[in-house]
Amino acid sequence: MGLALADDWEKLLSVVIWRKTHSKPHIYLRQVNIPDVHTKFIETHRTVLAELLDLVLDETEIQREYSGISQFALRYGFLDKPKHIRLRNLDKDYPIQPSSAYNDIYLDSLTFSQLTPKIKKVFIIENEINFLSFPEISHSWAIFGAGYGWSLLANATWLHQCQIYYWGDIDTHGFAILNQLRSYFPNTISFLMDSEMLLAHKSFWSKEAKQQTGELRYLTEAENELYAALVNNTFGDNVRLEQEFVGFDKIKVALGQEGL
């Protein structure tokens, strides 16, 4: 934990003791009241505090589905500021909210989970322009995939009644994201993420700075083959195709092939 933290050790321990004696606090970090400890101190030292809290807290006091500094609050029973899900309606006959005329709106995850939409298909799209320009499709919505983890969608049980399509970059991280999404929603179908699409856009290839190389348990056989080819540099070093380079005509063709 480092000698640089020696002067802060007493404060760190006071935070750990406070959390140990306040089961499931359900307040924001800024609401923690400890003498001589500003909550900015807690936020600054989340890495060290996480190590200590993992050691001293009972298993029931740790939400292990949350990890990393950005999810520190949720992991240890604190509130986190609401994260929003961005939606776009692809069928004017089935608006996101009955009273809303907007085609592109933001909802907090709780409100999103409580919806009861009459739709059949959901397209999760990573690129913002592709999200905004995605064509109209009956009984369908689009979700902008950037900026939040799939755990935000997990409580929306109504999504299990929809066919979910995921469209991300064709690179190792794109497939890792697909794999994570499918762990929540097993019926997810990848969209425009096959070897044919990759090879058809060779002039637009770029390089991943750092590849994902771990095992991805939830990919289909074809997806796994392409993922392995990318990991093994079959097409070249760290090849990637960002979805923004896929032409609009390719989207329409793919939608037709899917019968959408």
Side-chain angles (χ1 to χ4, degrees):
M1 297 178 188
L3 294 175
L5 295 171
D7 293 340
D8 297 323
W9 190 244
E10 186 175 345
K11 291 182 180 179
L12 288 168
L13 289 179
S14 67
V15 174
V16 173
I17 292 169
W18 185 96
R19 176 58 187 83
K20 179 72 173 176
T21 56
H22 292 75
S23 179
K24 300 175 182 177
H26 204 63
I27 60 174
Y28 292 100
L29 289 176
R30 290 297 177 99
Q31 293 178 278
V32 175
N33 185 16
I34 302 173
D36 300 321
V37 178
H38 193 280
T39 50
K40 194 71 175 177
F41 173 87
I42 300 175
E43 294 171 342
T44 302
H45 294 84
R46 286 174 295 176
T47 299
V48 176
L49 286 169
E51 294 182 44
L52 295 172
L53 292 171
D54 279 351
L55 290 172
V56 303
L57 291 181
D58 186 82
E59 279 293 318
T60 61
E61 292 287 318
I62 302 173
Q63 305 301 313
R64 294 196 178 275
E65 65 268 32
Y66 301 109
S67 61
I69 294 305
S70 64
Q71 296 184 321
F72 175 91
L74 295 174
R75 183 175 177 86
Y76 302 109
F78 295 96
L79 296 176
D80 201 6
K81 63 181 181 181
K83 293 181 173 61
H84 291 84
I85 297 167
R86 187 177 179 184
L87 305 172
R88 180 170 169 257
N89 179 32
L90 303 178
D91 186 342
K92 63 181 182 299
D93 293 328
Y94 295 92
I96 295 171
Q97 291 180 320
S99 60
S100 175
Y102 295 106
N103 191 43
D104 177 11
I105 68 172
Y106 293 81
L107 295 175
D108 65 83
S109 58
L110 177 60
T111 301
F112 178 83
S113 70
Q114 294 173 342
L115 296 175
T116 55
K118 296 178 180 179
I119 60 169
K120 297 178 180 179
K121 297 176 286 291
V122 171
F123 294 84
I124 299 178
I125 304 167
E126 291 290 343
N127 178 269
E128 185 175 23
I129 298 302
N130 287 338
F131 164 79
L132 291 171
S133 62
F134 205 75
E136 292 183 2
I137 304 172
S138 64
H139 296 85
S140 301
W141 289 353
I143 294 177
F144 183 39
Y148 53 85
W150 304 126
S151 59
L152 283 183
L153 303 180
N155 291 327
T157 56
W158 59 266
L159 276 172
H160 291 282
Q161 310 305 315
C162 300
Q163 179 56 68
I164 299 174
Y165 294 86
Y166 175 76
W167 181 19
D169 296 334
I170 302 180
D171 59 17
T172 62
H173 287 277
F175 283 110
I177 295 169
L178 169 63
N179 183 76
Q180 184 188 44
L181 173 62
R182 201 173 273 150
S183 71
Y184 289 100
F185 301 100
N187 66 326
T188 300
I189 295 175
S190 59
F191 183 73
L192 296 169
M193 294 180 67
D194 53 38
S195 56
E196 180 181 356
M197 192 60 56
L198 176 66
L199 295 173
H201 293 78
K202 189 172 182 178
S203 60
F204 295 104
W205 290 358
S206 57
K207 288 189 176 184
E208 278 190 287
K210 185 178 182 180
Q211 288 188 317
Q212 160 76 35
T213 59
E215 179 186 2
L216 303 181
R217 297 172 50 199
Y218 300 103
L219 298 186
T220 65
E221 182 177 354
E223 291 163 354
N224 250 320
E225 288 178 0
L226 179 51
Y227 171 68
L230 292 168
V231 170
N232 295 322
N233 295 319
T234 301
F235 306 108
D237 293 339
N238 292 34
V239 165
R240 74 181 305 216
L241 173 64
E242 297 175 79
Q243 66 171 174
E244 65 185 270
F245 294 113
V246 175
F248 199 71
D249 59 324
K250 301 290 186 183
I251 300 173
K252 292 185 174 180
V253 169
L255 289 172
Q257 291 172 343
E258 292 283 345
L260 302 171

